[in-house]
Amino acid sequence: MIPQRVYDELGGAPDRSTPGQTPINSAITAGWVTVAAEPDYTTSTVSQVMDDVRTYIAQSSNRPEDQMEKADTALAAVAAERLEEGDADFAYVVTTDTDAGDGIVSALSRNGFDERVQFKNGFELIEEIT
Amino acid sequence: MGEPFDPMGEGVLWIVDTGVFIACGRQQNNKYTALETFAQRKASRS
């Protein structure tokens, strides 16, 4: 599953590229990738998790919060919502950004999802499966 | 780091970031096909 933000970044959005010709659209058509519905950002858990992710990454990487990748918080928001609603028991967050991965796990753990989420380094995953 | 749960088991959600797909490249790339195979294997067990 990918957040809508990730889909947009990969050129899936019609205003970014030619729909149907990007690998991500092929993956969605083939059924092995789904795009998550936009999380309800007014939910206290979701908004708190996103705030915590921003704070963690800002502190660990000295990145100003306004210059952070929006996909990082979107990953956390999707995970929080799915776990809270019981759509999933556990979540693996796969990212190539170590600060983001650690921040997402830290934020989710602090907001009631301890031991229900794990960061998987994207480069390591690719190496393991290729 | 240990595995707190079965990564391929039922009820496990994989949420993937932009960089992973970029690192896998185009559809003809063996990394892309490996990711596809991995995801389909996971989906068939869910």
Side-chain angles (χ1 to χ4, degrees):
Chain A
M1 175 174 286
I2 57 174
Q4 180 68 46
R5 179 79 193 182
V6 168
Y7 177 68
D8 293 346
E9 289 183 355
L10 288 168
D15 62 344
R16 294 280 190 94
S17 184
T18 307
Q21 294 186 350
T22 60
I24 193 61
N25 278 324
S26 298
I28 292 166
T29 301
W32 58 276
V33 170
T34 56
V35 181
E38 282 289 347
D40 181 356
Y41 298 112
T42 63
T43 304
S44 61
T45 303
V46 171
S47 61
Q48 186 62 54
V49 164
M50 293 174 72
D51 283 346
D52 288 352
V53 170
R54 277 190 285 266
T55 301
Y56 183 100
I57 296 174
Q59 290 175 347
S60 63
S61 65
N62 291 322
R63 278 180 257 179
E65 292 191 21
D66 60 356
Q67 290 179 21
M68 233 165 260
E69 295 289 341
K70 290 182 179 174
D72 297 342
T73 51
L75 292 164
V78 168
E81 190 168 80
R82 294 295 165 144
L83 291 170
E84 186 164 68
E85 292 184 356
D87 295 331
D89 297 322
F90 306 99
Y92 263 112
V93 176
V94 188
T95 176
T96 51
D97 184 330
T98 304
D99 288 328
D102 288 341
I104 291 167
V105 170
S106 171
L108 287 164
S109 296
R110 289 178 49 163
N111 286 277
F113 305 111
D114 195 21
E115 298 187 354
R116 293 183 65 193
V117 62
Q118 188 167 328
F119 159 46
K120 183 71 178 175
N121 184 299
F123 293 125
E124 290 179 4
L125 175 68
I126 293 168
E127 202 167 295
E128 288 169 13
I129 65 177
T130 303
Chain B
M1 184 184 296
E3 299 285 342
F5 44 83
D6 177 5
M8 303 301 281
E10 192 174 347
V12 177
L13 177 67
W14 288 73
I15 305 172
V16 184
D17 199 5
T18 311
V20 179
F21 289 95
I22 291 173
C24 286
R26 303 182 67 82
Q27 281 173 265
Q28 296 79 9
N29 193 313
N30 66 330
K31 291 178 181 174
Y32 180 94
T33 54
L35 185 67
E36 179 176 11
T37 302
F38 175 80
Q40 288 176 334
R41 190 159 51 95
K42 193 262 169 247
S44 69
R45 294 187 188 184
S46 297

